Amino acid sequence: MLFTNATIITMNARREIILNGAIRTEGNRIADIGKAAELTARYPDEKVVDVEGKLIIPGLVNTHVHLAQSLLRGAADDLELIGWLCERVWVLQGNFTNEDGYAAARLTIAEMLKSGTTTFLEAMLAHRYGFDGIAEACIESGIRACLGGIVMDVGTYATKDSFAMHPGLVEDRETSLLGVLKAHDKWHGSGDDRVHVWFGARTPGGVTPELYREMCSIAKEKDMGITMHCAEVSADMKYCKEKYDLSPVGFAESVGMLGKKTVLVHMVWLEDEDMEKLRESGTHVSHNPTSNCKLASGICKVPELLDNQVNVCLGTDGAPCNNTYDMIREMHLAAILHKARTLDPVIVPAETALEMATINGAKALGLEDEIGSLEIGKKADLVVVDLKRLNSTPDFNPVSTLVYTATGGQVDIVVVDGKIVVEGGELKTMDEAEVITEANKHAREVAERAGLGRKLKAKWPLV
């Protein structure tokens, strides 16, 4: 297949942008890339997809996703953290069935694909969501997925007794840790190696040090990835300081968690020495600016992390704290938020935001040799974006136009592993109308089961 007449942001080592470019895919790989005239002449019999005047970028990599939470969209808006978590999010999630988990996964995946995400890292798949159904949803949709199964053995959060989990979400070592290992045996490498299984540990206060150490030991033995929310709110710092006399990052180091196969998420409350630990260990940081702003958690020190050569990638988090899974919108906030914090308008340019959403994300997942840039030999994961819209005209710099003006709604074509999964802005591997119908049905059922059906409504009178 030959995609022609595009502006191509390669994200290669030289960060080359090819004008009037073309990409040839063969199987699930990029076979050639260059000027459209040259590739068209070189491959006269190749099937041509003419994307004249449009932009081609590498598939976006979302490094922090909660698949189940798409059914909770709009169900916990404008609440302080305790009420948000204990009275809404955990209560709703604690009433999920496997069928709800499957419907939610399909909704989240469909939204991600249509807005240009080709690879994602799920943070904490609870046993009750149904790992098998969610893995099947990933395979059916064609997306590339790293599924972090939850690891926990304590049902509280940080320093707050009021942060007790809903009973329906509490798991022990056998259900969580051993359950993830069973899922790893069954699903890791499935879907033509598009599905990988990770550990998704709960935050300190939700896991005993002994279980953390066991998980980290197994992860090293099996070369598994680990992801965990870390230093998200001030209570995380307070808990680790009071109980262990360590920062959250220091505690993660003490149980053997830091390393090149670990993605720590949020990382708002950091000390200076934490950044050195992250750099030396090669640990990755997933920045989630919309979630951190909406929940008033604070602002991650992204410029300082980058100055310390820490790999920073990007994530949307879940629907109750975003409320979308649109990585193009997330890039926009990542690029402007730190300008306001530092009073420096050049501190995180559009180019850095795009790096976080592509090649940095690929590196965080250990897939930088396969995805994250458009280069010969890499997997054919690419996104065609239509910038010929009112909001993105004129287009002097395609990177800044993409980051500062575009949205996921401008995605035209998405290719994952060499297969077109979105074409003309329409899903090819899923029935969008069915996904929406099923998601609405299951969302209502979860709300009723949780006893929240009457509470989830507009604050202003409905007449």
Side-chain angles (χ1 to χ4, degrees):
M1 200 168 350
L2 189 62
F3 296 87
T4 64
N5 300 317
T7 296
I8 303 173
I9 302 177
T10 65
M11 300 306 297
N12 64 15
R14 294 180 60 192
R15 300 297 190 261
E16 292 173 316
I17 299 175
I18 304 173
L19 303 177
N20 300 315
I23 296 178
R24 177 175 177 260
T25 65
E26 185 175 340
N28 68 349
R29 299 281 174 179
I30 295 172
D32 207 349
I33 184 168
K35 291 289 189 179
E38 296 174 2
L39 267 66
T40 301
R42 194 176 302 155
Y43 307 104
D45 299 323
E46 194 73 44
K47 177 183 176 181
V48 173
V49 180
D50 190 345
V51 291
E52 184 178 0
K54 296 177 182 177
L55 182 68
I56 298 181
I57 62 173
L60 301 175
V61 182
N62 188 341
T63 56
H64 188 60
V65 172
H66 292 278
L67 289 171
Q69 290 187 354
S70 58
L71 292 194
L72 281 58
R73 195 190 321 263
D77 291 340
D78 304 323
L79 297 172
E80 52 79 31
L81 188 58
I82 294 178
W84 180 87
L85 196 57
C86 296
E87 297 174 12
R88 293 290 176 87
V89 173
W90 277 348
V91 176
L92 290 162
Q93 291 180 172
N95 279 279
F96 263 55
T97 65
N98 286 187
E99 292 74 20
D100 300 325
Y102 178 70
R106 295 182 78 216
L107 177 62
T108 307
I109 291 167
E111 182 183 351
M112 287 194 289
L113 286 175
K114 285 195 66 174
S115 55
T117 290
T118 58
T119 303
F120 72 92
L121 172 58
E122 154 68 41
M124 289 191 302
L125 276 183
H127 179 74
R128 70 178 307 116
Y129 305 157
F131 200 107
D132 289 354
I134 288 169
E136 289 285 6
C138 294
I139 293 171
E140 294 162 0
S141 71
I143 202 164
R144 198 177 299 283
C146 296
L147 301 177
I150 194 167
V151 175
M152 66 168 295
D153 57 353
V154 182
T156 57
Y157 181 91
T159 61
K160 305 286 188 180
D161 292 337
S162 56
F163 274 79
M165 293 188 80
H166 185 277
L169 288 176
V170 176
E171 299 186 24
D172 57 18
R173 171 185 175 275
E174 286 67 29
T175 305
S176 63
L177 179 75
L178 300 188
V180 176
L181 292 176
K182 289 178 183 178
H184 185 271
D185 290 342
K186 183 174 183 179
W187 293 107
H188 189 75
S190 61
D192 297 322
D193 200 36
R194 284 185 292 104
V195 175
H196 291 182
V197 178
W198 283 43
F199 287 121
R202 281 200 64 215
T203 307
V207 187
T208 58
E210 294 75 21
L211 187 58
Y212 275 130
R213 292 189 180 96
E214 182 180 9
M215 176 192 70
C216 293
S217 176
I218 293 171
K220 288 181 174 62
E221 176 187 335
K222 292 182 173 289
D223 196 31
M224 292 175 65
I226 298 172
T227 188
M228 184 182 76
H229 299 69
C230 186
E232 179 180 6
V233 294
S234 58
D236 293 328
M237 177 67 78
K238 183 178 180 183
Y239 174 82
C240 288
K241 286 289 188 180
E242 290 181 351
K243 191 167 182 66
Y244 303 108
D245 195 27
L246 294 167
S247 70
V249 171
F251 175 76
E253 180 185 44
S254 74
V255 296
M257 192 181 298
L258 300 188
K260 295 179 180 179
K261 298 286 288 187
T262 296
V263 178
L264 297 180
V265 185
H266 299 302
M267 303 293 275
V268 172
W269 295 82
L270 296 180
E271 297 179 336
D272 290 343
E273 54 266 32
D274 292 333
M275 298 190 193
E276 184 175 351
K277 295 179 188 297
L278 296 170
R279 177 183 57 79
E280 290 179 347
S281 63
T283 303
H284 313 278
V285 170
S286 176
H287 178 37
N288 293 237
T290 302
S291 172
N292 296 155
C293 287
K294 187 182 178 189
L295 294 179
S297 302
I299 301 174
C300 177
K301 297 177 180 178
V302 167
E304 292 88 338
L305 287 165
L306 293 172
D307 285 346
N308 278 275
Q309 288 80 54
V310 176
N311 183 51
V312 180
C313 44
L314 204 59
T316 59
D317 212 332
C321 55
N322 191 307
N323 297 41
T324 81
Y325 295 89
D326 184 341
M327 280 285 284
I328 297 179
R329 283 180 48 166
E330 205 68 27
M331 284 193 287
H332 176 266
L333 184 55
I336 65 174
L337 179 64
H338 305 285
K339 294 171 170 55
R341 180 180 75 84
T342 62
L343 304 181
D344 183 348
V346 303
I347 195 71
V348 178
E351 288 77 9
T352 299
L354 183 56
E355 287 173 336
M356 288 193 285
T358 54
I359 193 65
N360 290 12
K363 182 178 180 181
L365 303 185
L367 298 174
E368 68 271 29
D369 292 335
E370 299 279 17
I371 63 171
S373 62
L374 301 174
E375 301 179 73
I376 295 173
K378 282 198 168 185
K379 292 288 181 72
D381 287 13
L382 60 90
V383 175
V384 179
V385 184
D386 183 2
L387 296 182
K388 295 186 293 183
R389 305 282 183 89
L390 292 173
N391 65 296
S392 46
T393 300
D395 173 21
F396 293 110
N397 175 351
V399 178
S400 63
T401 301
L402 174 70
V403 171
Y404 291 126
T405 73
T407 72
Q410 292 175 243
V411 168
D412 181 46
I413 297 172
V414 177
V415 178
V416 185
D417 219 37
K419 298 177 181 177
I420 295 178
V421 295
V422 174
E423 188 173 23
E426 300 296 327
L427 290 165
K428 305 298 289 183
T429 56
M430 308 169 77
D431 183 331
E432 184 172 342
E434 179 195 9
V435 169
I436 292 171
T437 298
E438 286 297 302
N440 276 319
K441 171 180 175 288
H442 283 273
R444 289 192 298 270
E445 290 175 352
V446 170
E448 291 299 325
R449 209 178 297 131
L452 294 174
R454 295 183 179 181
K455 292 184 178 181
L456 304 183
K457 60 181 182 180
K459 293 179 182 178
W460 291 350
L462 299 173
V463 296

